Amino acid sequence: MACKSCCGNQREEKLSNSAFPLTRYEVLEFLGRGTFGQVVKCWKKGTNEIVAIKILKNHPSYARQGQIEVSILSRLSQESADEFNFVRAYECFQHRSHTCLVFEMLEQNLYDFLKQNKFSPLPLKYIRPILQQVLTALLKLKPENIMLVEPARQPYRVKVIDFGSASHVSKAVCNTYLQSRYYRAPEIILGLAFCEAIDMWSLGCVVAELFLGWPLYPGSSEYDQIRYISQTQGLPTEHMLNSTHPFWRLKTPEEHELETGIKSKEARKSTYQQI
């Protein structure tokens, strides 16, 4: 991927598979934890470089997904990270049976930015450049997270990060890890065949959240998620469900609770009429 040299010049560089251990870096700060591992802020010893290192869990299933992520990052390294607005990946290495991925350090994720601003709705003049940048990234990949690069110096300059759940569409397997619940497409909730369109659904939910100041579909369960979606978008079409029954309906919250013992919740700030 494109990376900066010490003098600030940019060059294209493929993701390298390094034999250097984690001891080459000094851990400065713990940044967060996810399904597949944790992320730490590090100083690369002997240089002025500050990077983010994603350390994957030492588990066979996570290791396999890690290999997919490395493969995707290696493929993306042939493209311009700045032009297509995705995070630069510098190298990967093994440390005590953990796969470690080294990325450029970005400033703040979009959620923390909204939280810092007390979830105030963003004006459309700020939403548009964010949307344009993520749509550009979608030309090359399937995104999970959106980061602000440097909010103080470059307001609303964003990059897409985290390819832990990414896959080539021809090899994708449906599971809930593909998308966070609030942004999960109906195809994923219902276990149906899917394509890149699920990314457009997620992006639409993100843009709505920026405009409203709160999540559009904040379901506490998959049932509530599909209930919220159905109340605004209507029920999924028959061809999506591939149902043998000519008619079907979504169970009421009371029926769902009686069957599962799980009480439905109303987590929305506001409800909307069907469109």
Side-chain angles (χ1 to χ4, degrees), residues 228-249:
Y228 294 166
I229 292 169
S230 297
Q231 286 176 351
T232 56
Q233 306 294 329
L235 295 173
T237 60
E238 293 292 337
H239 82 270
M240 279 187 68
L241 295 169
N242 195 23
S243 175
T244 57
H245 302 287
F247 301 102
W248 71 278
R249 64 177 178 84

Side-chain angles (χ1 to χ4, degrees), residues 121 127 202-217 272:
I127 294 176
S202 296
L203 181 56
C205 291
V206 169
V207 171
E209 186 170 339
L210 295 179
F211 182 74
L212 296 170
W214 60 76
L216 183 63
Y217 300 129
Y272 309 91

Side-chain angles (χ1 to χ4, degrees), residues 86-109:
F86 49 77
V87 66
R88 291 191 194 96
Y90 296 130
E91 64 176 332
C92 64
F93 57 85
Q94 294 293 316
H95 179 76
R96 297 179 181 175
S97 300
H98 292 272
T99 298
C100 300
L101 303 171
V102 183
F103 297 95
E104 66 174 312
M105 183 69 204
L106 301 178
E107 189 74 19
Q108 183 182 42
N109 68 51

Side-chain angles (χ1 to χ4, degrees), residues 32-52:
R33 189 182 305 275
T35 303
F36 297 109
Q38 59 183 337
V39 181
V40 291
K41 179 180 180 180
C42 294
W43 168 59
K44 189 175 182 179
K45 294 177 181 178
T47 74
N48 293 322
E49 291 181 78
I50 300 297
V51 297

